[in-house]
Amino acid sequence: MPKNTPAEAKPAVANDGPEIDAGDALIDGRRRPGYQKQLPERIEQFNQGAVTAPPPEAFYEKYDGEGPVGSLSLDVAVPDRWRITSSLCPKKNPKTGQKNRAIFTLFPNLENVCHSTLDPFHHNVLKGDKPIRAKDKPGFLKGDDWFFIVNATSDTVIEPRTFPIPVSVQTTERPNSVDTFGKGQSLVLSQTFIAGVSLLKGMTAYKPPIVEYRLTLAANMSYVNVPERRVLDVRPSRETQRLDGFIGVQDAFIDYHLGRFDTSRYDFVSVRLGIQPITTDFRGFLFLDNQLGLRIFGNRDDNRWQFNLGAFWRLEKDTNSGLNNVFATPRRDWVFLANAYRQDFPFTGLTSEVSVTYNMNREKNDVEIDKNGFPVRPALIGNLRGRDYDVVYLGYGADGRIGRINVTAQVYGALGQDRDNFLTSRPAKIHALFAAAELSYDQDWMRFRLSGLYASGDSDPYDNTEGGFDAIFENPQFAGADTSYWIRQAIPFAGGGRVISVNGRNGILNSLRSSKEQGQSNFTNPGTVLVGAGGDFDLTPEVRVSTNVNHLWFDNTRVLQVLRNEGSIPRDIGWDTSVSTIWRPNASQNIVFRLSGAMLFAGSGFKDLFTQQDRKSRYYSVLANAIFSF
């Protein structure tokens, strides 16, 4: 049968009432701008005894706070819009200490907004969810958009470990022992309390605060037990255990929002002055610290561009806790940086960063003895003389994804001059290279990772070029981070200086520094090569298990051969294996328990440097960590 033509279509069923054209037709739930739908005729009810609306005279006029209160106005305390609902919450009776919960019978859902000020998971004035009440606000704070934030953290660490511990020259805990290295077992117990307050002005839903004042203090108490003397203190008479405490200032800054640079797309520019957190790349390879400085930062082009300009004056660190020591004179060590981030470049989903970082060190004439009596500047290596140096780090980094592959990459070139090479006592150029990358792939609740890192080593310690790469203050979140044995533990380099370490604690570079916290950068070092694989497995929203297997080498052992006066030292450091479990009972970062174990299977190069009578070739590190945050 042929299809009906429009002329042959069945006519529409006639409707009673006026005919409506397409322009007057409305769809339920939709409105057409500029069109006013006709209302139906008014319905009047004549129900005898029904409650009628009161006349207008029965309503009070709204008092706006200006002029005298009129005869038809009522001056009552109406809560601000932040507290309209919570103002109905019952208060504790000061005599009985109990709350009258009768209102919850009438309004059961009201109980969902009535919470203690100690509850950080719901609207809380102590977490900046509500502005400070007018009656609680000091008179010098103008405006009604001031917020107060309190942060508190407890960080507990229990860490049994083993590593090569040199035997003291003067004495030992084990008489008649002729070994160069003693027993390696040690124990670290550390408790850190962090408390911070922040006072800020401005609604921060779409833009940074107009002004922010922040102060963060950290108090650390630690206990360390080792089997050999002159490890914790330079004096051989001191015991092999130490209890120590320190309070440091980790944040103390003013942040001001320069409103003149705002755009309609919420781009901003701010300036921050004081002790503040700073990082130069995505993973903390070069400079990740809390330091005194001035920083200008912001974004542009709908947040596609972000930038930082900063100048920092490095504070001295406490020897045992690593916290900032504001009571000591700041170091003659300055860092100037500029970086820019571009989102979705060169691929959608990938953020690129270019950076220039300049480290100017003028500590040639400084003599710094750490808290335990060991010299840290100059380092006890080579000619034992202080050094001045200038080094510029040119960097490119990327973080994000390319298709299904998650990508993190960083490249640095270090260029500069060392005024006094510790082996030749002559000026030397600095030419060093660093590259690292991590690729990962997500499959449901699993993530599989491949990692690679290269830091160049110095191939000829006696020429006029230092080719070993070293950072300013590294804290790498890479290849297992602090669950990795090599990143977590500092290995003493006994033969080249009693207080020189092959690598630093919570660092991945083999830099031969006296101290990561208090020492100078050293570009005459053996370098680092790492290849690793790992995985993260989210067994539940609360439990994650991570595994890592890394193989490490020295890039070039020529420097080690000179310092040890050996003809050859293999490059192989060994295999670093680790596994960690993280449990978050509330599926948040407020309560976190972590337990990890790592083991280093020493390679031929490590064995050559740290041979012991028992031919020990395996070293372990266990980390138990509990974090409670408010």
Side-chain angles (χ1 to χ4, degrees):
M1 177 180 293
K3 296 182 179 179
N4 292 333
T5 63
E8 298 172 337
K10 295 181 179 180
V13 179
N15 294 322
D16 295 335
E19 189 174 324
I20 300 176
D21 60 17
D24 294 331
L26 290 178
I27 302 175
D28 289 343
R30 304 283 296 276
R31 292 190 305 164
R32 191 172 77 249
Y35 177 80
Q36 180 65 43
K37 183 180 179 181
Q38 294 182 353
L39 299 177
E41 294 183 2
R42 181 176 181 178
I43 300 176
E44 296 186 3
Q45 293 182 339
F46 299 95
N47 297 334
Q48 296 295 331
V51 178
T52 59
E57 294 80 7
F59 293 94
Y60 289 96
E61 297 176 359
K62 181 180 179 181
Y63 178 59
D64 59 5
E66 299 290 339
V69 179
S71 59
L72 293 181
S73 297
L74 182 64
D75 188 12
V76 296
V78 179
D80 59 68
R81 67 183 181 88
W82 302 86
R83 298 177 172 86
I84 291 177
T85 305
S86 60
S87 63
L88 301 175
C89 296
K91 305 296 188 293
K92 283 187 177 181
N93 187 311
K95 295 182 179 179
T96 64
Q98 301 296 321
K99 292 181 180 180
N100 185 351
R101 301 177 57 86
I103 193 171
F104 295 145
T105 303
L106 296 175
F107 307 103
N109 292 332
L110 179 62
E111 193 168 5
N112 296 330
V113 299
C114 298
H115 301 281
S116 167
T117 55
L118 299 180
D119 182 357
F121 294 101
H122 297 89
H123 283 187
N124 191 326
V125 69
L126 297 181
K127 302 303 292 184
D129 299 320
K130 303 176 184 179
I132 304 173
R133 292 177 182 269
K135 64 178 182 179
D136 300 329
K137 186 172 57 181
F140 61 86
L141 297 180
K142 306 301 181 182
D144 58 359
D145 55 348
W146 285 93
F147 296 80
F148 187 67
I149 300 175
V150 176
N151 295 307
T153 301
S154 170
D155 188 347
T156 306
V157 171
I158 302 174
E159 185 180 356
R161 58 186 181 170
T162 60
F163 61 92
I165 298 179
V167 174
S168 169
V169 175
Q170 293 86 353
T171 185
T172 177
E173 284 290 286
R174 299 178 296 120
N176 301 321
S177 174
V178 295
D179 205 353
T180 305
F181 296 92
K183 292 185 176 180
Q185 295 85 359
S186 66
L187 174 66
V188 176
L189 305 177
S190 177
Q191 174 63 53
T192 303
F193 294 104
I194 304 172
V197 293
S198 179
L199 178 65
L200 56 91
K201 177 180 174 61
M203 306 296 183
T204 60
Y206 299 102
K207 63 179 183 179
I210 298 173
V211 64
E212 179 182 5
Y213 306 90
R214 185 184 299 180
L215 176 66
T216 302
L217 303 179
N220 174 264
M221 181 69 70
S222 63
Y223 169 82
V224 184
N225 192 325
V226 297
E228 293 292 339
R229 294 178 182 264
R230 284 195 86 239
V231 174
L232 303 179
D233 195 284
V234 72
R235 292 164 288 187
S237 59
R238 288 301 181 99
E239 296 295 326
T240 59
Q241 54 188 351
R242 179 186 67 214
L243 181 64
D244 186 53
F246 188 78
I247 298 177
V249 180
Q250 299 305 100
D251 287 327
F253 65 76
I254 300 174
D255 187 316
Y256 184 72
H257 176 207
L258 303 177
R260 71 181 67 180
F261 298 106
D262 287 357
T263 69
S264 59
R265 308 296 294 181
Y266 303 105
D267 293 329
F268 74 94
V269 175
S270 292
V271 58
R272 181 177 293 179
L273 176 65
I275 302 174
Q276 57 189 285
I278 183 63
T279 182
T280 57
D281 55 62
F282 295 107
R283 294 294 185 97
F285 290 120
L286 180 64
F287 186 43
L288 174 58
D289 201 3
N290 290 60
Q291 284 294 343
L292 174 64
L294 172 67
R295 182 164 68 103
I296 300 174
F297 61 98
N299 62 355
R300 275 296 176 266
D301 191 19
D302 299 348
N303 199 36
R304 293 184 180 92
W305 286 97
Q306 299 98 35
F307 65 89
N308 288 277
L309 296 172
F312 295 87
W313 191 358
R314 295 186 65 189
L315 299 173
E316 197 70 75
K317 298 284 187 180
D318 175 65
T319 302
N320 298 325
S321 67
L323 300 176
N324 288 332
N325 185 358
V326 297
F327 301 104
T329 303
R331 298 177 56 175
R332 295 177 56 81
D333 193 10
W334 298 272
V335 178
F336 305 91
L337 63 89
N339 60 20
Y341 299 85
R342 174 66 180 180
Q343 295 188 18
D344 296 327
F345 180 82
F347 307 104
T348 300
L350 190 69
T351 298
S352 291
E353 178 213 8
V354 291
S355 64
V356 178
T357 306
Y358 170 40
N359 184 201
M360 182 174 68
N361 186 284
R362 295 295 181 268
E363 296 177 315
K364 177 180 180 179
N365 299 320
D366 290 0
V367 176
E368 182 68 22
I369 308 299
D370 72 13
K371 195 174 183 179
N372 303 319
F374 295 103
V376 288
R377 296 194 304 272
L380 294 185
I381 190 171
N383 60 13
L384 308 182
R385 291 165 54 179
R387 299 182 297 119
D388 292 343
Y389 55 85
D390 297 273
V391 58
V392 175
Y393 298 90
L394 305 177
Y396 170 78
D399 186 72
R401 61 177 179 82
I402 301 176
R404 288 288 305 274
I405 306 298
N406 304 306
V407 178
T408 292
Q410 186 66 50
V411 177
Y412 280 114
L415 305 171
Q417 185 178 41
D418 188 345
R419 301 293 194 279
D420 189 348
N421 181 286
F422 66 78
L423 288 176
T424 66
S425 300
R426 298 192 307 266
K429 298 177 183 179
I430 297 172
H431 289 167
L433 178 66
F434 174 90
E438 181 178 277
L439 306 179
S440 62
Y441 183 84
D442 296 330
Q443 182 64 41
D444 200 359
W445 48 275
M446 300 174 289
R447 168 172 288 188
F448 303 96
R449 292 179 277 104
L450 291 176
S451 305
L453 178 144
Y454 172 79
S456 62
D458 195 349
S459 60
D460 186 353
Y462 292 108
D463 64 7
N464 62 349
T465 300
E466 298 179 359
F469 184 88
D470 197 6
I472 302 172
F473 191 85
E474 59 167 332
N475 271 297
Q477 306 302 306
F478 185 78
D482 59 356
T483 63
S484 159
Y485 180 92
W486 195 256
I487 294 178
R488 182 70 180 176
Q489 305 303 332
I491 307 301
F493 184 68
R498 186 60 58 178
V499 291
I500 299 299
S501 296
V502 175
N503 61 325
R505 185 167 172 83
N506 293 326
I508 199 170
L509 301 176
N510 301 321
S511 55
L512 297 181
R513 290 167 73 156
S514 60
S515 166
K516 191 185 86 169
E517 291 77 14
Q518 295 179 274
Q520 294 177 290
S521 298
N522 174 29
F523 301 93
T524 304
N525 65 60
T528 309
V529 179
L530 177 147
V531 175
D536 302 316
F537 307 94
D538 293 328
L539 304 183
T540 70
E542 298 84 15
V543 178
R544 168 178 288 184
V545 175
S546 298
T547 60
N548 287 279
V549 178
N550 302 322
H551 197 179
L552 295 109
W553 299 266
F554 297 112
D555 178 49
N556 195 302
T557 60
R558 180 57 181 158
V559 177
L560 303 178
Q561 295 170 21
V562 171
L563 295 176
R564 282 293 186 87
N565 197 23
E566 293 188 29
S568 64
I569 296 177
R571 295 175 53 222
D572 189 12
I573 296 174
W575 290 91
D576 181 353
T577 62
S578 63
V579 60
S580 67
T581 300
I582 296 177
W583 177 42
R584 304 179 303 158
N586 297 326
S588 72
Q589 296 300 111
N590 294 76
I591 302 177
V592 180
F593 298 100
R594 183 172 58 144
L595 179 63
S596 67
M599 182 163 290
L600 177 70
F601 296 89
S604 56
F606 192 94
K607 293 177 181 178
D608 190 288
L609 291 171
F610 306 106
T611 301
Q612 297 175 268
Q613 285 184 346
D614 57 5
R615 300 292 179 182
K616 189 170 185 178
S617 61
R618 291 188 296 272
Y619 301 86
Y620 69 82
S621 171
V622 176
L623 176 63
N625 184 207
I627 299 176
F628 301 90
S629 301
F630 172 78

